[in-house]
Amino acid sequence: MLKALAMNKMLAITLILSFTFATILAQAPATAGQVQGGQFVRIGLNKSVVVRLPANAQDVLIGNPAIVDAVVRTQRMAYLFAKKAGQTNVFFFDSKGRQILNLDIEVARDMKALQKLFQRVMPGNRITVETVNENVVLGGVAKSPAQARLAVDLAAKYTDDEKKVLSTISVAGLEQVALKVKIAEVQREVLKQFGIDTNKALKLGSKAVQLLTVSPFSLNGGPLTVGSAPPFSTSFGSPGYGISTANGSGAVLRAMERDGYLKTLAEPTLTAVSGESAKFLAGGEFPIPVGVDNGQISIEFKKFGVGLGFTPVVLTGGRISLKLNTEVSELSPENAIILSSISIPSLTVRRAETTVELPSGGSLAMAGLIQEKTQQAINGLPGMKNLPILGALFRSRDYQQKLSELAIIVTPYIVRPVNEKQLVAPTDRSAVATDTQTILFGRLNKVFGSKGVSGETYHGNVGFIVE
């Protein structure tokens, strides 16, 4: 009997302790929530979640109702609706004002659909998707630059705004592209001038009348000269050369012909990582006055020469997409501007910009331009210049023809780094001659012996070659 009573007491004590311990556990979340902060919850934009409360709720406090709206369905259940991208928090209180739950909420786009799209379209890539408000952040590793670019394009379509997509994707093996460009241009110019200057002086009593015709050569702005030498001329009417009259007369024949030929060849080569841009310029800069401030002329510099810029993207199958722009410019006196004592030259520019797709090692003529320009002007005395035969004495002819042909050929290569010993620089075999070689033999470069030179015989044309 006593033993049974002792057992009942022990059972009662155990039940009381269990109830007390359970009560402490029930109050523990509220205390922890007040001290340590709330639980983090991410909700997709325009989606909702169900929250089950650990105790009966009486009041709800929302940090920003414009981002999240809360509806208490029962004392133990609440619904949260995501209305706008952003961050806020929600507090739940019981009837005595004690906090029973604290939630830190982030509302952003749900990227599960985009992540699954990446897995379907680009299997094998480890690309991650994160969101910051309405922006999408792509990370992880892609197999190739083309796959990384495709991920960015898909994310831009998903957000309807490419500016909201930030890519931090790294490529497993970055490819490098070397672009070889050949710019070839040939120009030919022909100039011809022919005219007769006449001079006739008459005396009528005490009055003197002089008739004078001068060939203006209006097309080229005056007679052509080579250096300081005047054009070929012959005088009629001077003593010993022609016929003269008492009143005085004479004529000067002015004729000139010039042929010009110009060949331009540039072969710039540039290397860049796939997806990155590279630029090249071989030329210079010339100053241009752009304004006057307090009597001081401000100067800007304009670039000219052979310029090349391209952005390569390596695609699948070893193909290369190239966004390319190239330019050949040179200073020209034509259309030059003279301000006071300052002469500003103009630029003659040949420029091409395009996007092409080529295999590695394949070539393409990106631009081919054939240009022909012919100008001719005849000046003379009205009426007299149209006379047969004799009209040549009263007119001048100015003729100009320009022919040019330009070709731009591009060739991209997928390249790999090599050992330094496999590369040769232009200065490797160049050395300055010693004082003895310079003074005694007049040499500028050091001359090496025949050691190490192969014994192969050269077969081909020798001597002067004229084309």
Side-chain angles (χ1 to χ4, degrees):
M1 183 68 178
L2 293 175
K3 187 176 181 179
L5 291 174
M7 292 290 294
N8 292 333
K9 289 181 179 180
M10 290 294 296
L11 181 60
I13 293 172
T14 303
L15 292 175
I16 292 172
L17 292 175
S18 300
F19 179 79
T20 304
F21 186 71
T23 304
I24 294 174
L25 290 178
Q27 295 178 355
T31 304
Q34 293 174 357
V35 178
Q36 299 179 1
Q39 303 177 16
F40 178 77
V41 178
R42 175 176 291 176
I43 307 175
L45 185 63
N46 299 323
K47 293 189 177 182
S48 60
V49 296
V50 178
V51 179
R52 299 187 183 276
L53 305 174
N56 294 336
Q58 184 68 27
D59 294 325
V60 179
L61 175 62
I62 303 175
N64 189 349
I67 297 176
V68 173
D69 191 11
V71 175
V72 179
R73 180 66 175 174
T74 64
Q75 291 184 338
R76 291 295 186 97
M77 183 181 296
Y79 301 153
L80 299 181
F81 300 94
K83 301 167 59 179
K84 182 181 178 181
Q87 295 180 351
T88 186
N89 53 3
V90 179
F91 298 90
F92 294 90
F93 302 93
D94 61 9
S95 58
K96 296 183 179 181
R98 294 175 298 183
Q99 178 181 310
I100 61 176
L101 185 61
N102 176 15
L103 299 177
D104 289 331
I105 299 176
E106 178 185 5
V107 177
R109 291 178 178 270
D110 191 354
M111 294 291 107
K112 292 181 180 179
L114 183 59
Q115 187 75 59
K116 292 180 179 179
L117 178 62
F118 287 164
Q119 295 174 359
R120 293 195 307 268
V121 177
M122 300 176 293
N125 291 275
R126 302 187 302 274
I127 300 177
T128 61
V129 182
E130 298 292 339
T131 57
V132 178
N133 295 331
E134 295 184 354
N135 301 310
V136 178
V137 181
L138 303 180
V141 180
K143 291 182 178 180
S144 66
Q147 299 283 329
R149 182 60 194 174
L150 179 59
V152 174
D153 293 340
L154 292 176
K157 296 295 184 182
Y158 189 82
T159 58
D160 294 330
D161 190 356
E162 188 175 359
K163 296 181 180 179
K164 294 183 179 180
V165 179
L166 175 63
S167 176
T168 61
I169 301 175
S170 59
V171 181
L174 289 176
E175 309 248 0
Q176 297 186 91
V177 177
L179 180 66
K180 181 179 180 181
V181 178
K182 179 180 289 187
I183 302 172
E185 182 179 15
V186 175
Q187 295 183 10
R188 188 171 185 270
E189 183 178 10
V190 178
L191 299 176
K192 297 179 181 180
Q193 290 182 339
F194 182 84
I196 298 177
D197 295 345
T198 59
N199 183 11
K200 176 65 175 177
L202 299 175
K203 288 185 178 180
L204 301 175
S206 61
K207 302 295 182 179
V209 179
Q210 184 176 13
L211 302 177
L212 177 66
T213 62
V214 179
S215 302
F217 298 122
S218 59
L219 185 61
N220 295 291
L224 297 175
T225 59
V226 180
S228 59
F232 172 79
S233 63
T234 302
S235 298
F236 298 94
S238 299
Y241 287 94
I243 303 174
S244 62
T245 63
N247 292 325
S249 65
V252 176
L253 174 64
R254 306 173 70 181
M256 180 66 182
E257 182 174 349
R258 182 174 70 187
D259 292 339
Y261 178 82
L262 174 64
K263 175 182 177 181
T264 303
L265 179 64
E267 296 188 48
T269 300
L270 204 58
T271 303
V273 176
S274 176
E276 301 294 333
S277 299
K279 294 182 179 180
F280 169 87
L281 175 65
E285 298 182 352
F286 67 97
I288 298 177
V290 295
V292 179
D293 187 11
N294 296 327
Q296 300 294 326
I297 300 177
S298 58
I299 300 295
E300 288 186 359
F301 287 87
K302 179 69 175 179
K303 298 179 180 179
F304 70 95
V306 179
L308 171 65
F310 79 110
T311 303
V313 176
V314 179
L315 307 176
T316 57
R319 298 187 66 83
I320 303 171
S321 175
L322 286 176
K323 184 178 182 182
L324 178 67
N325 59 80
T326 182
E327 177 181 302
V328 181
S329 58
E330 57 187 357
L331 298 179
S332 173
E334 297 181 4
N335 303 321
I337 300 176
I338 299 178
L339 301 175
S340 183
S341 60
I342 302 175
S343 178
I344 305 174
S346 63
L347 283 178
T348 302
V349 182
R350 281 82 71 199
R351 182 184 297 117
E353 183 173 352
T354 185
T355 300
V356 296
E357 183 177 323
L358 295 172
S360 178
S363 298
L364 178 68
M366 189 186 69
L369 175 63
I370 298 177
Q371 184 178 6
E372 180 178 355
K373 181 180 179 181
T374 302
Q375 291 179 293
Q376 187 170 204
I378 295 179
N379 300 277
L381 188 65
M384 301 296 292
K385 71 180 182 67
N386 297 324
L387 293 176
I389 303 175
L390 294 179
L393 301 175
F394 302 95
R395 65 173 178 259
S396 63
R397 180 196 180 208
D398 204 359
Y399 175 82
Q400 181 178 15
Q401 183 182 44
K402 291 184 178 180
L403 302 174
S404 66
E405 183 174 358
L406 172 68
I408 301 176
I409 302 174
V410 296
T411 307
Y413 298 91
I414 297 178
V415 298
R416 299 288 186 272
V418 298
N419 191 288
E420 184 182 3
K421 297 180 179 179
Q422 298 179 253
L423 302 177
V424 178
T427 57
D428 289 349
R429 299 289 294 174
S430 176
V432 180
T434 62
D435 292 342
T436 303
Q437 290 178 331
T438 303
I439 296 173
L440 298 181
F441 302 101
R443 293 169 179 166
L444 297 178
N445 299 324
K446 182 179 291 186
V447 178
F448 298 91
S450 59
K451 183 179 179 180
V453 180
S454 63
E456 296 181 0
T457 304
Y458 171 76
H459 297 279
N461 296 325
V462 297
F464 295 99
I465 301 174
V466 180
E467 295 183 353

